[in-house]
Amino acid sequence: MQAEPVTRGLRKAAPRPDLFEVAHLSDPWEALTAELKPPMSHQDAFLEAYRCLLCGGPLTPAPCMLACPAKVDVPSFIGAISVGEAVEAAEIILDANPLGGTCARVCPTEELCEGACVLHSTHQRPIDIGRLQRYAIDQAFRDGNLLVPERPQHNGMRVAVIGAGPAGLTGAFELAKYGYKVTIFDSRAGTGGLVRAAIAPYRQLTEPLDQETARLWELGIEFRLGTTVDSSLREELESSYDSILLAIGMGEDAATGCEGNDLKGIFSSLPFIEKIKLAYLPDVKNKVAVIGAGNTAMDVAREAIRLGAAEVTVLYRRSEKEMPAFPVEFDEAVQEGVRFAWLTSPVRYEGNGRVNAVRCLKMKLGDQDSSGRRKPVPVDGSEFLLEVDTVIEAIGQLPRKDFLFAIPGIELNSGLIRAASETGATGNPLYFAAGDALNGGATVVEAVRMGKVAAAGIDAKLSERGGAK
Ligand SMILES: Cc1cc2nc3c(=O)[nH]c(=O)nc-3n(C[C@H](O)[C@H](O)[C@H](O)COP(=O)(O)OP(=O)(O)OC[C@H]3O[C@@H](n4cnc5c(N)ncnc54)[C@H](O)[C@@H]3O)c2cc1C
């Protein structure tokens, strides 16, 4: 039988009979933490590495490497695994991406490196690059080998990084390698930002964030966790640091503002997931409505199934074509039993103490709006009631406008920081920026890329100035 032709970015996940069974395991915690991409055995890793054509070279980088925002040299690390040199492979990965172990677990590889694998053109299964990357890093970390680069001599300059998420950790790591004394500030008690707080537990609970953080610590980076940078601390940082990297991510969930949202059983996506990550399992009952159809909505729908909900319906006011979720995420959600109500918008939550229904309106698509997508328009007289006992709103995150408005010279575009794409420089010469705070929310590996760009931008600026202030 001939395999289906593959179109990059539009690929659907291959049907996996085990997905439904795993998602519906009787123990919710087991279902929530059963990894979608489990680790490889030595034998599987060798066999998979041998399948790789190791394409590319110095003048013609391999498509998988070009598709990786962090520019991990995929053929070289897979070549190292194929000759039994897993630690050398880990070194290659971590050199390009200090969150290489996290990215191996959470990257949408189908859209990136694996999506670009040349084996697609011969209708073969792409190389399992994500799991090979995980294999290499796990091997190194398991032996206690953190592969910390040598501590460079301190160049006399200090940089403050606000935010210990992927953008901040990467920016800090690169700056420390250049010789800067770096301090990272984060409101949270742990590092990793949304990786620790929001990424679905069946992709990554926490491991290997602690080892990845330990590498930064070993490089001499100072952590001030549990410390929110407010206006007065920010002014202190401005007078005592040579540069400041803003890696503050996005803020709390946007809300639909539907009437009745104070009823019991209505959740916002981020606190819902954060609870799960801390093993406090939310009470979702039987019938769940998820509002929104982005990647976060797919995650909470799949988490609700794992928590034991019998019926999970995603309500989206546009059609499947406009859905922002990656096709592979949508497809896997369908395989796990999530239902979709397209062109459906909630107008009111109803109930007595606890929500028992969502009053919905059917929509049709009108003219294009400023996002280039066709605008949903209500259909007159189309109201109907959907019986539910839980609602999870997942319609995106709000920018941290209040914090940013207070910084002189920082320019914003709908609350997102405007910064030079090739340096991360903002309108205030002291500040550089990276990550979700610029793009409104993308992927961990994109935040890693931006952290590297901003670190290089800071280094170029401070080297030009030539010395501490
Ligand atoms: C539900 C969900 C699931 C996701 N799943 C995936 C996935 O599977 N794969 C993937 O690649 N990406 C995923 N993402 C996206 C990914 O998590 C983000 O793109 C990435 O974490 C962005 O990194 P960041 O460093 O820019 O911001 P964040 O990770 O948000 O980190 C910002 C940090 O800054 C801190 N901070 C903010 N303001 C201050 C202040 N004033 N003082 C001190 N600290 C401050 C915050 O506490 C936070 O820790 C997901 C996102 C969400 C919401």
Side-chain angles (χ1 to χ4, degrees):
M1 195 180 77
Q2 204 177 351
E4 259 184 52
V6 170
T7 316
R8 180 143 191 263
L10 293 175
R11 192 171 15 273
K12 294 213 156 205
R16 277 181 42 191
D18 56 319
L19 265 183
F20 185 85
E21 278 150 37
V22 169
H24 292 263
L25 284 169
S26 57
D27 176 21
W29 185 243
E30 208 188 318
L32 283 160
T33 52
E35 291 183 279
L36 287 185
K37 295 185 179 176
M40 275 179 164
S41 64
H42 292 304
Q43 191 184 4
D44 287 350
F46 284 132
L47 289 175
E48 189 63 3
Y50 272 123
R51 286 180 62 235
C52 180
L53 303 180
L54 305 179
C55 40
L59 299 177
T60 51
C64 50
M65 179 173 171
L66 287 175
C68 171
K71 292 288 166 283
V72 169
D73 185 346
V74 177
S76 294
F77 92 70
I78 293 184
I81 293 176
S82 73
V83 294
E85 297 291 348
V87 173
E88 187 190 320
E91 213 157 15
I92 295 168
I93 297 159
L94 293 171
D95 190 44
N97 181 353
L99 296 187
T102 286
C103 284
R105 290 161 171 79
V106 308
C107 262
T109 49
E110 299 84 355
E111 303 286 324
L112 299 170
C113 52
E114 292 169 19
C117 179
V118 293
L119 292 183
H120 283 300
S121 58
T122 52
H123 303 302
Q124 292 179 68
R125 184 171 60 77
I127 300 296
D128 207 341
I129 299 170
R131 288 175 72 215
L132 282 172
Q133 178 161 321
R134 172 176 178 174
Y135 169 80
I137 306 273
D138 282 358
Q139 290 308 306
F141 286 174
R142 192 165 301 144
D143 298 340
N145 195 345
L146 289 179
L147 301 168
V148 182
E150 218 171 284
R151 256 194 210 202
Q153 213 185 341
H154 177 32
N155 65 13
M157 288 184 272
R158 284 156 41 95
V159 180
V161 174
I162 311 180
L169 292 177
T170 305
F173 187 74
E174 294 295 310
L175 286 161
K177 283 200 293 182
Y178 292 135
Y180 296 91
K181 181 90 190 100
V182 183
T183 311
I184 308 184
F185 298 83
D186 202 298
S187 315
R188 296 176 191 274
T191 58
L194 290 178
V195 176
R196 201 179 288 271
I199 286 189
Y202 44 78
R203 285 187 229 285
Q204 178 170 350
L205 200 52
T206 53
E207 201 197 344
L209 262 179
D210 289 342
Q211 288 102 319
E212 287 169 335
T213 304
R215 297 181 74 236
L216 273 73
W217 176 264
E218 292 284 331
L219 207 53
I221 293 167
E222 190 192 337
F223 286 89
R224 296 269 305 273
L225 299 177
T227 307
T228 296
V229 178
D230 56 12
S231 294
S232 75
L233 179 54
R234 179 176 57 74
E235 282 166 19
E236 244 179 73
L237 302 184
E238 286 173 359
S239 58
S240 46
Y241 286 84
D242 296 282
S243 186
I244 299 176
L245 174 57
L246 287 170
I248 56 174
M250 295 287 284
E252 59 189 12
D253 283 272
T256 59
C258 282
E259 215 179 293
N261 61 5
D262 53 347
L263 288 167
K264 208 165 164 238
I266 298 177
F267 298 88
S268 296
S269 67
L270 291 183
F272 178 83
I273 307 172
E274 194 156 3
K275 258 187 159 189
I276 294 177
K277 294 273 278 194
L278 294 170
Y280 294 111
L281 304 189
D283 176 18
V284 298
K285 308 276 185 237
N286 258 340
K287 292 188 175 181
V288 178
V290 173
I291 317 294
N295 291 318
T296 299
M298 299 304 125
D299 275 353
V300 292
R302 297 171 75 178
E303 284 155 9
I305 293 245
R306 285 161 171 77
L307 286 164
E311 208 178 285
V312 178
T313 311
V314 167
L315 309 185
Y316 183 50
R317 59 197 184 131
R318 292 185 163 96
S319 73
E320 180 180 343
K321 197 164 151 243
E322 291 81 27
M323 163 188 70
F326 290 140
V328 68
E329 298 298 327
F330 164 68
D331 209 41
E332 289 188 357
V334 171
Q335 288 185 48
E336 290 180 3
V338 176
R339 304 165 181 206
F340 288 79
W342 306 114
L343 294 166
T344 304
S345 185
V347 283
R348 194 163 64 240
Y349 302 133
E350 308 211 338
N352 187 7
R354 185 171 180 116
V355 64
N356 59 28
V358 183
R359 185 166 291 278
C360 303
L361 256 184
K362 287 308 284 179
M363 312 296 274
K364 61 183 179 196
L365 292 179
D367 297 337
Q368 278 189 356
D369 64 12
S370 56
S371 73
R373 293 179 301 173
R374 290 180 64 196
K375 204 170 153 183
V377 183
V379 175
D380 285 343
S382 65
E383 263 191 34
F384 70 99
L385 271 184
L386 177 73
E387 269 182 41
V388 297
D389 32 42
T390 305
V391 173
I392 311 165
E393 293 193 343
I395 57 166
Q397 288 173 262
L398 297 171
R400 299 186 192 273
K401 274 190 195 162
D402 290 348
F403 179 76
L404 293 168
F405 268 142
I407 310 178
I410 298 278
E411 290 168 33
L412 301 180
N413 184 5
S414 306
L416 303 178
I417 305 171
R418 287 173 78 143
S421 57
E422 62 289 358
T423 60
T426 70
N428 179 325
L430 190 62
Y431 285 91
F432 286 69
D436 280 8
L438 273 77
N439 59 26
T443 55
V444 171
V445 71
E446 181 56 17
V448 164
R449 183 193 72 77
M450 294 169 93
K452 286 167 73 172
V453 166
I458 291 174
D459 183 48
K461 170 102 188 188
L462 294 184
S463 308
E464 194 182 288
R465 197 184 73 188
K469 61 181 176 192

